[in-house]
Amino acid sequence: MAVRKIREIGDELLRKKSRPFDSVDEKAKQILEDLYDTLKATQDGVGLAAPQVGILRRAIVVDLSMEEENPQGPFFLINPVIVKQSGEQVCREGCLSIPGKLGDVTRPEKVTVEALDKNGKKIRIKAEGLLAVVLSHEIDHLDGILFVDKATELFDQEEEQS
Ligand code: NI
């Protein structure tokens, strides 16, 4: 178990492109475990990508298992790719690497993601709604893209809650 430090906006590493894995080896599994431990330690996070903890490799964890309406996950994904997308939705997003900020971002309503799971098995996830948003947000991190690049308007989190 390892909780890693989450990099914050301004850190150049968050802007770099992450490298794919050749296979799901021990190192890949370790990264996925660390991502999960780090995500769980944040209490309110629903997804985390490897570059956010300083590792420029294509690995993400998404966990909507705590959602009341439609619990899904956790998903442990290596080399995730959006192979199909359709529709549009606007979602108010935040990011563990951009504390205190929220923004409205237009994302696909539905995405199909292909990846390797933590056992190296090829998987395909058909996602819609919040899961589609989170997958799209986390996969963006692997290409150095942050939600603030796409947000039409930014809000302070405190303001939002009042
Ligand atoms: Ni993020």
Side-chain angles (χ1 to χ4, degrees), residues 47 52 94-97 137-138 141 147:
Q52 291 182 275
C95 178
L96 293 168
S97 293
H137 175 121
E138 299 310 329
H141 273 299
F147 87 85

Side-chain angles (χ1 to χ4, degrees), residues 75-88:
F75 298 96
F76 296 85
L77 305 179
I78 294 290
N79 299 344
V81 179
I82 295 175
V83 295
K84 216 165 123 186
Q85 62 180 63
S86 63
E88 268 189 5

Side-chain angles (χ1 to χ4, degrees), residues 3-162:
V3 173
R4 290 172 174 262
K5 187 176 180 299
I6 296 178
R7 309 267 177 140
E8 294 186 359
I9 191 166
D11 188 321
E12 271 310 300
L13 199 132
L14 287 173
R15 292 310 197 166
K16 300 212 159 105
K17 207 172 158 74
S18 291
R19 221 157 36 90
F21 290 87
D22 295 329
S23 66
V24 182
D25 53 12
E26 284 311 309
K27 184 172 180 190
K29 288 180 193 174
Q30 187 61 57
I31 291 170
L32 287 172
E33 270 179 38
D34 288 359
L35 284 175
Y36 184 71
D37 293 341
T38 306
L39 180 62
K40 289 295 101 182
T42 68
Q43 315 273 341
D44 57 353
V46 290
L48 194 62
Q52 291 182 275
V53 297
I55 302 168
L56 288 172
R57 302 303 300 273
R58 301 187 86 83
I60 66 171
V61 169
V62 169
D63 188 5
L64 294 178
S65 61
M66 304 302 280
E67 291 295 305
E68 274 178 28
E69 281 206 359
N70 186 16
Q72 294 174 92
F75 298 96
F76 296 85
L77 305 179
I78 294 290
N79 299 344
V81 179
I82 295 175
V83 295
K84 216 165 123 186
Q85 62 180 63
S86 63
E88 268 189 5
Q89 59 177 323
V90 178
C91 188
R92 189 151 296 180
E93 297 183 20
C95 178
L96 293 168
S97 293
I98 310 172
K101 292 286 176 197
L102 296 171
D104 289 340
V105 182
T106 303
R107 302 273 185 192
E109 167 59 25
K110 294 181 179 179
V111 297
T112 302
V113 171
E114 287 183 354
L116 297 173
D117 71 9
K118 59 181 169 183
N119 299 311
K121 193 172 152 248
K122 255 194 180 175
I123 53 166
R124 171 180 271 251
I125 301 166
K126 286 189 173 190
E128 56 181 78
L130 182 60
L131 182 58
V133 168
V134 181
L135 285 167
S136 165
H137 175 121
E138 299 310 329
I139 291 170
D140 271 354
H141 273 299
L142 305 180
D143 293 315
I145 299 164
L146 302 176
F147 87 85
V148 290
D149 304 341
K150 296 182 167 180
T152 49
E153 218 179 323
L154 287 177
F155 309 89
D156 288 329
Q157 201 152 21
E158 290 75 15
E159 213 171 279
E160 172 60 23
Q161 283 165 349
S162 65

